[in-house]
Amino acid sequence: MKKTKTIKKPNWFLYFLIGPFIILWYKLHIRYRKNKVKIKKKSLIIAPHRSYFDFLTVPISVYPRRVHCVATTFWFRNKKLAWLLNVMGCIPKNQFKADLRSVISMGEVLKKNESILMFPEGQMSADGRSVILVPGIEKLILKFKPNVYFVD
């Protein structure tokens, strides 16, 4: 079995210097309004995959909290994109099967009192609604006891 690599904390430069420009663009073009919920440390944020831009809109909604996104290993195949995902502290996960390495990585992140953002459906929702959660998530929640948030 391959050894899991340590997941780095998301890069502060990309969050705090580039993030406000993304927020400004969203405010100007789609009239984005931020929800006033304060995300606590050691959180698991679960979101449905409703559009192609969820990977930007959900982290913006929890800004300034830096989160580790769970991403499919497919995106890590491109070397430049893999570098960016690693700088952003993304956790690689194989889709449509149990992936013990990703669960171990998520556990390490939660032990450091950091937050995780995941889209458990893996693909975009066909009708915009959430589907039933995958069976392993409740075990992760029971073991590490993070604050759990559902984004609707």
Side-chain angles (χ1 to χ4, degrees):
M1 185 166 119
K2 291 182 183 177
K3 186 181 178 199
T4 60
K5 70 175 188 168
T6 305
I7 305 296
K8 296 178 184 175
K9 192 168 186 167
N11 188 294
W12 68 270
F13 175 79
L14 292 175
Y15 262 83
F16 297 118
L17 293 179
I18 296 175
F21 291 108
I22 294 171
I23 292 172
L24 179 64
W25 186 83
Y26 269 94
K27 283 182 179 181
L28 294 174
H29 291 292
I30 61 171
R31 295 185 181 125
Y32 168 79
R33 285 178 287 137
K34 185 176 181 194
N35 194 349
K36 300 295 183 201
V37 176
K38 297 284 186 195
I39 302 296
K40 297 177 183 175
K41 290 184 177 183
K42 193 178 177 183
S43 298
L44 178 63
I45 304 160
I46 300 172
H49 223 331
R50 295 187 176 163
S51 75
Y52 291 111
F53 299 103
D54 288 336
F55 73 97
L56 286 174
T57 57
V58 178
I60 287 171
S61 66
V62 298
Y63 185 85
R65 169 81 50 218
R66 291 187 283 170
V67 296
H68 296 270
C69 295
V70 177
T72 178
T73 53
F74 172 79
W75 297 117
F76 286 84
R77 292 179 186 165
N78 181 316
K79 288 185 180 182
K80 292 178 183 175
L81 185 57
W83 176 83
L84 179 64
L85 293 173
N86 287 325
V87 166
M88 291 304 298
C90 291
I91 302 169
K93 185 198 178 309
N94 289 322
Q95 278 186 309
F96 311 117
K97 58 182 170 180
D99 187 358
L100 185 59
R101 280 184 281 166
S102 67
V103 174
I104 291 170
S105 297
M106 286 185 244
E108 288 175 5
V109 167
L110 290 173
K111 283 179 187 174
K112 295 178 189 174
N113 286 332
E114 296 176 14
S115 300
I116 297 174
L117 166 65
M118 65 184 338
F119 301 95
E121 295 153 3
Q123 300 288 331
M124 281 188 9
S125 174
D127 61 357
R129 288 185 274 166
S130 297
V131 295
I132 297 171
L133 291 178
V134 291
I137 293 177
E138 74 270 1
K139 291 177 185 174
L140 184 74
I141 293 169
L142 288 172
K143 180 164 181 161
F144 295 103
K145 298 185 179 13
N147 299 302
V148 180
Y149 299 91
F150 286 92
V151 177
D152 189 25

